Amino acid sequence: MTTYGGRRTQAERDAITVEIGYALCSAAFAAAVVFGAVAGPALLFDLPDTAELLLLRGGTVLAPVLFALRVVSVLLRFRASAQPSQPGRTSPDS
């Protein structure tokens, strides 16, 4: 994002802020959906104790793992796509 150790512009800081917000919101939504899909049946239906326990623990484990993976993947993708082209060369899409 910066050019050779220089300071970031306001537009670059805003882009990073928006991307972090998007990463957190989309990760929270995905984690909630996964938790609901895995642990939901245990909360809605009268299941045997073992099945209920497994579903609740599975949802409790999968949701934070998915949250972390989603945040990292969105932020790494943003960082990789923000690489500037080589200075002094014409961009292919110009």
Side-chain angles (χ1 to χ4, degrees), residues 9-87:
T9 65
Q10 184 63 43
E12 289 172 332
R13 289 193 304 261
D14 289 346
I16 292 169
T17 302
V18 168
E19 199 66 23
I20 290 170
Y22 169 73
L24 292 174
C25 289
S26 67
F29 179 75
V33 168
V34 165
F35 180 79
V38 174
L43 299 172
L44 292 175
F45 303 116
D46 188 26
L47 299 174
D49 290 339
T50 306
E52 209 170 289
L53 183 66
L54 285 175
L55 288 174
L56 285 173
R57 285 194 180 163
T60 304
V61 168
L62 285 177
V65 169
L66 177 67
F67 180 87
L69 288 175
R70 176 69 182 163
V71 168
V72 168
S73 70
V74 168
L75 294 179
L76 285 178
R77 189 172 7 130
F78 175 72
R79 186 176 133 208
S81 68
Q83 296 296 326
S85 62
Q86 294 181 353

